[in-house]
Structures are given as structure tokens and as C-alpha cells.
Amino acid sequence: SNAVEELQALQIQLLQREQRLAHEAVHDTLTGLPNRAWLMERLHYLIDQKHLYAVLFMDLDRFKVINDSLGHLVGDELIKQATQRITTLISPNATLARFGGDEFIILLENITDIEAAIRLARVIQTGLEAPFPILEHELFVSISIGITMGDQDYQKPEDILRDADIAMYQAKNKGRNRHDIFNPISRNQAIARLE
């Protein structure tokens, strides 16, 4: 029966490893948040549904300066602490995902209008005002947020993410620590700039 027990133990180990790999495939290793792969899946699903949702594209202001001057350990710790703080601020119908680097996305589902997204952006910005104690530093960090409503015009996750990204850059250009709602005119300006 020893061999049977060993085999069972091995099967359990393999199952756990499979579950871990499946989890890692859709989660960010540093923060444990859902990652870009999860986000694309969820957006595909939301685009098929006809419920109203919003995408908040968030970028920590001056993160690169902190990372370059104080090092990656401090940068990583800041990302972790900011994640924890934002997680405590968001409502049950919101999911925080890490898009990459210092970029985060919130999917706000089952909402009636854009006001809910604007309120959430304000709550997050206020919630990040207190400093983050990291090693011997007190770090102050603000966040720029671009908001886009998921409507019938969007057929692809890439499109709504691009527009939310454009809105986030609008917010940054207006002086950081701001939120801005996507405006189609700015998409045309962005395309004109690229060309």
C-alpha cells in the first residue's frame, strides 16, 4: 500500500502544481492581482454582455523617478502598498488588475452611469494622499486616471483599453493627480500626432 500512497501523494502534488500554474497564468506575481491575460478575458466577456461597465486606466505619477532614484526594491514595495490601499477603497463590483509596471486597470461592472466611475476615481485619489512609509522613506504618490465607458461601439478589448489610456494621458497633461473622461476628439488628436 506504500506505493499506492506515494502515487496518491504525487497526484496531489501534480494537481496543486497545475492549480498554481493556472493561477499564475492569470495573476501578477508581485501583487497577486489579476493580470493582463485575465483582463482581456474579462473584457471579452463584458463586451458580449449588454451591461454597462467602465474601465479606469490608472498610472502612478512620477513612479519612474522613485524607481530610478530609490531602486527597484522601493519601487516594488510601493506597487505592493498602493495595491493594498486601492483594494481597500474599491467597491465589490470593481476589480483591480495590474496591467504592467505602474499601470493598473479597474473594471467597474453593473453600473447605471459614468458617475459611479467618477466617484470611484475621486475615492482612489483621495485615498492615496497619505504618504507610504517604505524603508526609511515617506513617499507621496498621486495617480492619474483615464475613464472610459464600455458601450456598444467597442468590439475589442484593445480598443477600450486604448481609449482609456488616451484619457489617462489627457489627465497627466492637465497636471497629474487628476482623472479625465475619454473624449473621441482626443483620439483623433492622438492619431494625428502619431501620423
Side-chain angles (χ1 to χ4, degrees):
S1 78
N2 228 354
V4 172
E5 278 167 25
E6 274 175 31
L7 193 61
Q8 281 172 335
L10 191 64
Q11 279 176 322
I12 289 167
Q13 272 179 340
L14 282 171
L15 189 65
Q16 285 170 338
R17 186 163 166 264
E18 242 169 74
Q19 286 168 336
R20 195 178 69 243
L21 288 172
H23 181 86
E24 281 171 10
V26 289
H27 288 81
D28 170 56
T29 44
L30 179 68
T31 60
L33 291 176
N35 64 10
R36 193 183 289 233
W38 178 89
L39 189 69
M40 298 314 253
E41 273 300 298
R42 189 69 188 162
L43 278 169
H44 274 294
Y45 168 79
L46 289 173
I47 285 167
D48 290 341
Q49 302 295 307
K50 293 292 171 254
H51 302 302
L52 209 51
Y53 66 97
V55 172
L56 286 77
F57 197 114
M58 313 192 298
D59 182 85
L60 293 177
D61 296 325
R62 301 188 189 82
F63 177 75
K64 196 177 174 340
V65 177
I66 291 168
N67 221 14
D68 292 350
S69 58
L70 301 176
H72 289 290
L73 282 177
V74 172
D76 282 356
E77 187 56 32
L78 179 59
I79 293 281
K80 282 197 271 197
Q81 287 194 26
T83 295
Q84 285 160 355
R85 203 182 287 182
I86 294 167
T87 304
T88 63
L89 297 167
I90 60 179
S91 46
N93 61 332
T95 309
L96 178 65
R98 187 174 181 205
F99 197 58
D102 59 331
E103 292 179 332
F104 296 89
I105 302 269
I106 288 179
L107 290 185
L108 188 58
E109 301 184 32
N110 294 321
I111 54 175
T112 48
D113 54 31
I114 199 159
E115 286 306 317
I118 295 168
R119 276 198 305 276
L120 182 59
R122 286 200 189 111
V123 164
I124 290 167
Q125 285 175 316
T126 308
L128 290 180
E129 280 169 9
F132 291 92
I134 296 174
L135 301 174
E136 61 273 24
H137 308 283
E138 287 253 285
L139 297 182
F140 287 87
V141 149
S142 58
I143 199 164
S144 294
I145 304 176
I147 303 170
T148 314
M149 287 298 285
D151 57 29
Q152 269 57 62
D153 294 347
Y154 291 112
Q155 299 304 315
K156 296 209 297 285
E158 293 81 8
D159 294 343
I160 188 163
L161 289 170
R162 179 204 58 218
D163 286 354
D165 192 15
I166 289 171
M168 188 272 294
Y169 272 101
Q170 282 169 213
K172 267 203 199 299
N173 288 336
K174 288 178 185 173
R176 303 170 199 267
N177 194 23
R178 304 178 76 115
H179 53 271
D180 216 334
I181 296 155
F182 174 70
N183 163 0
I185 295 163
S186 48
R187 182 199 294 158
N188 302 339
Q189 289 168 342
I191 290 166
R193 267 203 310 276
L194 283 173
E195 284 170 353

